[in-house]
Amino acid sequence: MNLNPITAGHDQLPSALASALPIQSGDAGLAADAALVARILAGDTQAFAAIVQRWQGPLINMAWRYCRDRGRAEEMAQEAFIRAWRGLAQWRRESSFSTWLFSVAANVYRTELKHIPAVHLSLDQAAEPSSPFAHDAPLDGVARDEAVRRAVLALPQRYREPTILFYFHEMDLAAAAATMGLPEGTMKARLSRARTMLRLRFPQLREQWTKGDKS
Amino acid sequence: MSHNQPDQFGQPSQPSQLDRILLEQDSLLPSSGFAASVMDAIQQQSPTPAPIPFPWKLALPGFAALLVGVIVICKLAIMTIRSMSQTYVTSFATDSASNTAWLWPHLNSSSALDVLLRNAAAPILLTLAASWLCVLLCRRFAGEVSR
């Protein structure tokens, strides 16, 4: 499923999710963003409502991946929108509006979580399913998946954020690096380390990976 | 990046189990009032309207006139004070018996303008004229603003 708000075509998405994603995509979306920003900078505050409408889904979902708390995700997304509105004149149009917006949001989320960290366990304390994973055990699978996702939040900060953004951007390394403002090589190294830590924490995934690799 | 392309870590083109788990996450739908609450917050933070700029273009002639008026009044005041002190000294030196001669020492010897300038009447008249000018200017500015 393509969750990338920039590349997602709505025909590929479930209707519920499509309503949370931008109305337009591609060049039309970029032009629409630029036109809206021009109107806002000319003094039309209400034009920002269209920006909010267009990007609220991606920003809330991005925040959700940072904290896994619905209420807090909306608060953080609201703060990100306010920060974007204040700094709209700083968007230089060298990158797309979405890249700039995600970058602003990532800064806000990072700062917010630095002040009040999300409640999570350390990586060693993250729950590990007692039995090996089985594809025919849906409940175990759900619990395991949730444990892995929560374990991402337990990663050290320098590895956590690249992991969150890499998967938020549908494994688009360049987009994740642009959002974080890091070189791609640095992102790649941190991601590699993060994935190694997760596989060490969840040996079943490593075994499964090794089997898949051999086949 | 498509999942079927080789990834950046030298791993197989198909996403691993870890990738699949981290990719397929529940998506939140924004609550119904989210956009409205963001816009409310933004409206509250909107900057207050800029103050009305001072009408320098209209006020400059008035300031120039005021400056000229102040200079003239100062000059007249100095002249009056000098003439009054001279009159005081002269009147006592000559031991004039007449009080009116001390009050109007130059009535007979000077022109009407000189009398006017040497007495306090001139500064008073000029002050009144300047005040009237100020009133006129204020009424004019107030009329333009309210229009």
Side-chain angles (χ1 to χ4, degrees):
Chain A
M1 190 195 311
N2 185 2
L3 292 178
N4 189 326
I6 304 160
T7 59
H10 290 184
D11 51 339
Q12 300 170 310
L13 299 170
S15 58
L17 183 56
S19 66
L21 290 178
I23 299 155
Q24 294 161 303
S25 60
D27 291 342
L30 295 177
D33 285 333
L36 285 170
V37 171
R39 278 175 56 194
I40 296 160
L41 291 178
D44 182 2
T45 309
Q46 284 305 315
F48 195 74
I51 296 266
V52 175
Q53 204 68 39
R54 186 166 152 74
W55 293 103
Q56 57 180 346
L59 253 59
I60 288 173
N61 278 287
M62 186 175 159
W64 160 253
R65 288 180 184 231
Y66 270 77
C67 66
R68 301 196 77 76
D69 176 333
R70 186 192 171 97
R72 191 149 186 222
E74 289 208 348
E75 283 173 14
M76 294 200 310
Q78 174 164 328
E79 183 58 34
F81 275 119
I82 292 169
R83 201 74 65 82
W85 181 74
R86 281 194 210 134
L88 213 50
Q90 290 163 14
W91 174 42
R92 300 279 176 225
R93 290 171 174 78
E94 289 158 359
S95 58
S96 68
F97 178 74
S98 60
T99 302
W100 177 79
L101 184 63
F102 286 138
S103 178
V104 169
N107 280 330
V108 170
Y109 300 164
R110 194 181 307 129
T111 309
E112 289 277 321
L113 292 174
K114 209 176 279 179
H115 291 150
I116 308 169
V119 179
H120 58 71
L121 302 172
S122 70
L123 192 58
D124 289 335
Q125 291 171 309
E128 187 178 357
S130 54
S131 58
F133 304 140
H135 288 294
D136 58 351
L139 284 177
D140 279 355
V142 169
R144 171 208 58 197
D145 291 358
E146 194 52 30
V148 173
R149 288 166 195 148
R150 288 202 171 273
V152 171
L153 296 185
L155 288 170
Q157 208 253 327
R158 61 190 280 114
Y159 304 119
R160 187 194 322 145
E161 199 173 355
T163 310
I164 290 170
L165 291 173
F166 178 66
Y167 290 104
F168 173 72
H169 283 290
E170 288 287 298
M171 299 173 71
D172 184 339
L173 186 72
T179 300
M180 275 202 79
L182 284 178
E184 287 188 28
T186 308
M187 278 293 282
K188 199 189 287 189
R190 290 188 186 180
L191 276 167
S192 181
R193 177 75 185 127
R195 288 154 66 105
T196 304
M197 290 169 87
L198 287 171
R199 288 206 184 94
L200 285 171
R201 182 71 197 98
F202 295 94
Q204 295 91 338
L205 287 177
R206 192 175 44 188
E207 286 162 19
Q208 205 166 33
W209 166 253
T210 312
K211 282 177 202 167
D213 199 15
K214 283 174 184 169
S215 64
Chain B
M1 187 186 87
S2 163
H3 302 171
N4 295 325
Q5 290 171 350
D7 76 8
Q8 302 84 359
F9 307 103
Q11 291 164 350
S13 57
Q14 289 300 316
S16 69
Q17 184 75 356
L18 179 61
D19 292 334
R20 189 193 65 73
I21 291 168
L22 294 177
L23 276 171
E24 293 174 7
Q25 300 202 30
D26 294 337
S27 290
L28 293 184
L29 286 178
S31 58
S32 55
F34 177 75
S37 71
V38 171
M39 289 311 293
D40 282 349
I42 282 171
Q43 293 288 0
Q44 283 172 4
Q45 298 203 358
S46 289
T48 49
I52 299 167
F54 188 81
W56 285 107
K57 203 175 166 183
L58 292 171
L60 272 177
F63 280 131
L66 189 66
L67 188 67
V68 170
V70 167
I71 290 168
V72 169
I73 286 170
C74 286
K75 213 160 187 177
L76 285 174
I78 291 165
M79 284 169 65
T80 306
I81 290 165
R82 275 185 190 161
S83 72
M84 281 179 78
S85 59
Q86 280 174 2
T87 306
Y88 182 80
V89 170
T90 309
S91 63
F92 278 91
T94 54
D95 194 23
S96 170
S98 169
N99 287 334
T100 52
W102 178 80
L103 283 171
W104 309 101
H106 302 287
L107 193 62
N108 300 322
S109 61
S110 303
S111 67
L113 182 63
D114 195 30
V115 170
L116 199 65
L117 290 175
R118 282 175 186 275
N119 285 283
I124 289 169
L125 285 175
L126 276 169
T127 307
L128 282 173
S131 302
W132 183 241
L133 189 68
C134 284
V135 170
L136 281 179
L137 285 170
C138 287
R139 287 181 68 179
R140 189 182 158 192
F141 292 151
E144 291 208 1
V145 169
S146 64
R147 234 179 279 150

PDB file of all heavy atoms in Angstrom, chain A residues 176-190:
ATOM      1  N   ALA A 176      13.097  10.406   3.031  1.00  0.00           N
ATOM      2  CA  ALA A 176      13.337  10.369   4.478  1.00  0.00           C
ATOM      3  C   ALA A 176      14.545  11.222   4.841  1.00  0.00           C
ATOM      4  O   ALA A 176      14.527  11.960   5.836  1.00  0.00           O
ATOM      5  CB  ALA A 176      13.550   8.930   4.927  1.00  0.00           C
ATOM      6  N   ALA A 177      15.592  11.137   4.017  1.00  0.00           N
ATOM      7  CA  ALA A 177      16.801  11.935   4.275  1.00  0.00           C
ATOM      8  C   ALA A 177      16.500  13.426   4.149  1.00  0.00           C
ATOM      9  O   ALA A 177      16.973  14.232   4.955  1.00  0.00           O
ATOM     10  CB  ALA A 177      17.911  11.524   3.312  1.00  0.00           C
ATOM     11  N   ALA A 178      15.683  13.782   3.144  1.00  0.00           N
ATOM     12  CA  ALA A 178      15.328  15.195   2.966  1.00  0.00           C
ATOM     13  C   ALA A 178      14.512  15.692   4.152  1.00  0.00           C
ATOM     14  O   ALA A 178      14.691  16.828   4.609  1.00  0.00           O
ATOM     15  CB  ALA A 178      14.539  15.371   1.670  1.00  0.00           C
ATOM     16  N   THR A 179      13.615  14.867   4.653  1.00  0.00           N
ATOM     17  CA  THR A 179      12.799  15.278   5.800  1.00  0.00           C
ATOM     18  C   THR A 179      13.655  15.511   7.032  1.00  0.00           C
ATOM     19  O   THR A 179      13.437  16.455   7.789  1.00  0.00           O
ATOM     20  CB  THR A 179      11.735  14.198   6.107  1.00  0.00           C
ATOM     21  OG1 THR A 179      10.910  14.040   4.952  1.00  0.00           O
ATOM     22  CG2 THR A 179      10.863  14.587   7.290  1.00  0.00           C
ATOM     23  N   MET A 180      14.652  14.657   7.207  1.00  0.00           N
ATOM     24  CA  MET A 180      15.524  14.805   8.377  1.00  0.00           C
ATOM     25  C   MET A 180      16.635  15.823   8.155  1.00  0.00           C
ATOM     26  O   MET A 180      17.292  16.238   9.100  1.00  0.00           O
ATOM     27  CB  MET A 180      16.160  13.460   8.729  1.00  0.00           C
ATOM     28  CG  MET A 180      15.269  12.603   9.609  1.00  0.00           C
ATOM     29  SD  MET A 180      16.217  11.390  10.515  1.00  0.00           S
ATOM     30  CE  MET A 180      16.873  12.370  11.850  1.00  0.00           C
ATOM     31  N   GLY A 181      16.876  16.155   6.893  1.00  0.00           N
ATOM     32  CA  GLY A 181      17.966  17.071   6.580  1.00  0.00           C
ATOM     33  C   GLY A 181      19.329  16.426   6.769  1.00  0.00           C
ATOM     34  O   GLY A 181      20.295  17.077   7.154  1.00  0.00           O
ATOM     35  N   LEU A 182      19.378  15.110   6.493  1.00  0.00           N
ATOM     36  CA  LEU A 182      20.641  14.371   6.631  1.00  0.00           C
ATOM     37  C   LEU A 182      21.079  13.868   5.258  1.00  0.00           C
ATOM     38  O   LEU A 182      20.238  13.636   4.381  1.00  0.00           O
ATOM     39  CB  LEU A 182      20.430  13.154   7.540  1.00  0.00           C
ATOM     40  CG  LEU A 182      20.322  13.378   9.050  1.00  0.00           C
ATOM     41  CD1 LEU A 182      20.075  12.056   9.748  1.00  0.00           C
ATOM     42  CD2 LEU A 182      21.589  14.017   9.596  1.00  0.00           C
ATOM     43  N   PRO A 183      22.379  13.642   5.067  1.00  0.00           N
ATOM     44  CA  PRO A 183      22.821  13.009   3.812  1.00  0.00           C
ATOM     45  C   PRO A 183      22.281  11.577   3.729  1.00  0.00           C
ATOM     46  O   PRO A 183      22.093  10.920   4.765  1.00  0.00           O
ATOM     47  CB  PRO A 183      24.349  13.010   3.936  1.00  0.00           C
ATOM     48  CG  PRO A 183      24.670  13.951   5.037  1.00  0.00           C
ATOM     49  CD  PRO A 183      23.500  14.005   5.937  1.00  0.00           C
ATOM     50  N   GLU A 184      22.063  11.131   2.512  1.00  0.00           N
ATOM     51  CA  GLU A 184      21.495   9.789   2.338  1.00  0.00           C
ATOM     52  C   GLU A 184      22.396   8.704   2.924  1.00  0.00           C
ATOM     53  O   GLU A 184      21.915   7.704   3.450  1.00  0.00           O
ATOM     54  CB  GLU A 184      21.232   9.518   0.853  1.00  0.00           C
ATOM     55  CG  GLU A 184      20.032  10.301   0.333  1.00  0.00           C
ATOM     56  CD  GLU A 184      19.647   9.899  -1.081  1.00  0.00           C
ATOM     57  OE1 GLU A 184      19.912   8.733  -1.464  1.00  0.00           O
ATOM     58  OE2 GLU A 184      19.099  10.743  -1.809  1.00  0.00           O
ATOM     59  N   GLY A 185      23.707   8.913   2.816  1.00  0.00           N
ATOM     60  CA  GLY A 185      24.641   7.917   3.343  1.00  0.00           C
ATOM     61  C   GLY A 185      24.484   7.749   4.855  1.00  0.00           C
ATOM     62  O   GLY A 185      24.489   6.630   5.379  1.00  0.00           O
ATOM     63  N   THR A 186      24.316   8.872   5.544  1.00  0.00           N
ATOM     64  CA  THR A 186      24.135   8.830   6.998  1.00  0.00           C
ATOM     65  C   THR A 186      22.831   8.115   7.340  1.00  0.00           C
ATOM     66  O   THR A 186      22.779   7.282   8.250  1.00  0.00           O
ATOM     67  CB  THR A 186      24.108  10.269   7.563  1.00  0.00           C
ATOM     68  OG1 THR A 186      25.258  10.961   7.088  1.00  0.00           O
ATOM     69  CG2 THR A 186      24.097  10.273   9.066  1.00  0.00           C
ATOM     70  N   MET A 187      21.789   8.457   6.583  1.00  0.00           N
ATOM     71  CA  MET A 187      20.483   7.805   6.810  1.00  0.00           C
ATOM     72  C   MET A 187      20.613   6.302   6.619  1.00  0.00           C
ATOM     73  O   MET A 187      20.087   5.508   7.400  1.00  0.00           O
ATOM     74  CB  MET A 187      19.448   8.343   5.820  1.00  0.00           C
ATOM     75  CG  MET A 187      18.823   9.637   6.200  1.00  0.00           C
ATOM     76  SD  MET A 187      17.781   9.537   7.665  1.00  0.00           S
ATOM     77  CE  MET A 187      16.305   8.813   6.997  1.00  0.00           C
ATOM     78  N   LYS A 188      21.306   5.924   5.542  1.00  0.00           N
ATOM     79  CA  LYS A 188      21.448   4.505   5.206  1.00  0.00           C
ATOM     80  C   LYS A 188      22.166   3.771   6.346  1.00  0.00           C
ATOM     81  O   LYS A 188      21.740   2.695   6.777  1.00  0.00           O
ATOM     82  CB  LYS A 188      22.251   4.378   3.900  1.00  0.00           C
ATOM     83  CG  LYS A 188      22.092   3.046   3.221  1.00  0.00           C
ATOM     84  CD  LYS A 188      23.062   2.911   2.079  1.00  0.00           C
ATOM     85  CE  LYS A 188      22.696   3.763   0.887  1.00  0.00           C
ATOM     86  NZ  LYS A 188      23.552   3.452  -0.284  1.00  0.00           N
ATOM     87  N   ALA A 189      23.225   4.378   6.864  1.00  0.00           N
ATOM     88  CA  ALA A 189      23.985   3.743   7.940  1.00  0.00           C
ATOM     89  C   ALA A 189      23.137   3.592   9.199  1.00  0.00           C
ATOM     90  O   ALA A 189      23.126   2.542   9.844  1.00  0.00           O
ATOM     91  CB  ALA A 189      25.229   4.575   8.240  1.00  0.00           C
ATOM     92  N   ARG A 190      22.375   4.645   9.519  1.00  0.00           N
ATOM     93  CA  ARG A 190      21.554   4.589  10.736  1.00  0.00           C
ATOM     94  C   ARG A 190      20.427   3.576  10.586  1.00  0.00           C
ATOM     95  O   ARG A 190      20.086   2.867  11.534  1.00  0.00           O
ATOM     96  CB  ARG A 190      20.983   5.977  11.041  1.00  0.00           C
ATOM     97  CG  ARG A 190      22.049   6.942  11.493  1.00  0.00           C
ATOM     98  CD  ARG A 190      21.469   8.244  11.982  1.00  0.00           C
ATOM     99  NE  ARG A 190      22.520   9.202  12.266  1.00  0.00           N
ATOM    100  CZ  ARG A 190      22.316  10.430  12.705  1.00  0.00           C
ATOM    101  NH1 ARG A 190      21.086  10.852  12.892  1.00  0.00           N
ATOM    102  NH2 ARG A 190      23.326  11.242  12.937  1.00  0.00           N
TER     103      ARG A 190
END
